[in-house]
Structure formats: structure tokens, C-alpha cells
Amino acid sequence: MPVVRGKEIEVLFSASAIARRNLELAKEISEREYDDLLVISVLKGSFIFAADLIRAMHDGGLSPEVEFIFISSYGAGTTSGEVKVLRDIDNDVKGRDVLLIDDILESGKTLTFTRDLMLSRGAKSVSIAVLLDKRMRRQSDSAIDADFVGFECPDYFVVGYGMDVAHAFRELPFVGVVKGDV
Ligand code: IMP
Ligand code: MG
């Protein structure tokens, strides 16, 4: 097992498995009839996935515009979870097809909030691509699902490929679970 910061990391999704899956996702995305697509990467966790997916989309013949929104969700996964925009996009989404890219869909609070925000601003459509889906964590009042899912994720706290514990482990090229000290 790789050792990072003195901890063993169990690899759940390897760099090569993610790269293969990104190509498949890009193909699925390119098969949709999007018009003038605006991709919005939901920061921070999605920055590596978005960077790889948009390049795979280029290889798949797509040429979207790309934007970023910085969302914070306190207590995501709990009923008290509050979702806020910390830094907004600059683009007008009115009449646009929007694709939100995020790392994980869990309770659904973050992406429900972000999707509804874009729809309230007049987006023509809002689709969702996530690397990981923790379906078992979805809140019962949340009817949200992703249009494009990299992998179904087991119910562990995962790190790597952009995802962190207190800002650490984002640089890992794979997705894994932090095990004990070595
Ligand atoms: P949701 O609002 O409950 O769907 O929260 C999803 C957000 O929580 C994701 O965008 C991640 O930023 C974060 N998150 C959820 N599970 C994990 C995890 O296992 N590792 C790192 N971040 C996570
Ligand atoms: Mg996130």
C-alpha cells in the first residue's frame, strides 16, 4: 500500500481505472445533444476530476466553456447542512446547457443547491457529472441523481484525486482510504 504522511492508503480506484472511466464518461457526455455547453467545476474537491474530464471531452470532440463555482457545505449529509456560494461564476447561464462537475454526490445537498441555483437563473438544462456516487448516503428528501457517474463508491471517507482530509491528500493520483499509521 502507498504510504503518505506516515499513513497507509488503501487504493479504491487506481489512476489508470479513473483515466479509462473518464474517457467513457466523455463519450457518454458527447452523445448528448448539448448546445453551447457550459461546464461548471464545483470547487474545491472537483478540480482534478474536472481538469481530466474536460480534456477527455476535448478528445471526444466537445468544446465547452469552463467556469468555476466555490461552494461550501457545512455538515453536508446532516439535516443541518447549510450550503453557500463562496465564489460565484462570472457567466450568465440564461438559456444555456450547463454541466456541473463535482467529486462526490453524497447527501445531495451541494448539488441540489447548485443545480437549483442555475435553474433559477434560467439555465436551459442542468446535468451533473460526478466521479463518485455514495448512493446509500442520499437524503430521503433529495431526489437528485447524477447523469454521469464515474464509480459507485462504498461508504468510506475517501481521499485523493482532489479530495482531502483538512486539505491533505488532494495530490494523490488515485482515490483511496486512509488506514492506520505505519
Ligand atoms: P453532499 O452535499 O452531501 O452530496 O456532499 C458532497 C460533498 O461532500 C462533496 O462534494 C465532497 O466535497 C464532500 N465529501 C463527501 N464525502 C467525501 C469523502 O468521502 N471524502 C472527501 N470529501 C467528501
Ligand atoms: Mg465538494
Side-chain angles (χ1 to χ4, degrees):
M1 272 187 220
V3 176
V4 183
R5 293 172 165 259
K7 310 255 189 221
E8 283 191 320
I9 314 283
E10 182 190 339
V11 178
L12 281 187
F13 304 106
S14 69
S16 58
I18 294 171
R20 274 196 304 276
R21 189 71 188 118
N22 282 344
L23 291 176
E24 293 171 358
L25 289 178
K27 184 161 184 297
E28 286 177 35
I29 293 168
S30 71
E31 283 161 3
R32 291 277 183 106
E33 309 258 294
Y34 290 124
D35 181 31
D36 191 21
L37 184 63
L38 173 64
V39 166
I40 303 178
S41 163
V42 180
L43 297 174
K44 308 172 186 170
S46 76
F47 78 108
I48 293 183
F49 176 48
D52 284 347
L53 187 60
I54 60 176
R55 284 178 291 179
M57 286 166 63
H58 164 79
D59 293 341
L62 290 171
S63 40
E65 285 176 21
V66 180
E67 266 270 28
F68 303 90
I69 192 165
F70 197 149
I71 298 282
S72 85
S73 31
Y74 296 104
T78 70
T79 43
S80 63
E82 186 202 348
V83 185
K84 278 199 303 205
V85 178
L86 295 185
R87 195 212 180 274
D88 211 335
I89 56 170
D90 301 318
N91 251 320
D92 187 359
V93 298
K94 207 171 173 43
R96 307 278 310 261
D97 285 323
V98 170
L99 175 67
L100 301 176
I101 300 185
D102 204 355
D103 51 359
I104 303 191
L105 178 54
E106 203 176 271
S107 73
K109 277 189 193 304
T110 309
L111 284 169
T112 300
F113 172 89
T114 313
R115 177 195 62 187
D116 291 352
L117 180 66
M118 297 307 151
L119 289 173
S120 74
R121 291 173 177 176
K124 183 168 82 180
S125 73
V126 180
S127 318
I128 294 173
V130 293
L131 178 70
L132 302 176
D133 191 357
K134 285 190 193 170
R135 205 174 283 277
M136 72 299 283
R137 288 282 182 138
R138 202 81 84 252
Q139 236 144 58
S140 49
D141 59 352
S142 163
I144 197 160
D145 261 317
D147 302 80
F148 310 99
V149 174
F151 303 96
E152 298 290 331
C153 186
D155 194 12
Y156 301 126
F157 192 84
V158 295
V159 298
Y161 202 65
M163 292 173 283
D164 68 308
V165 184
H167 310 294
F169 301 112
R170 290 195 200 274
E171 77 285 6
L172 305 181
F174 51 83
V175 173
V177 179
V178 181
K179 297 290 181 183
D181 297 332
V182 282

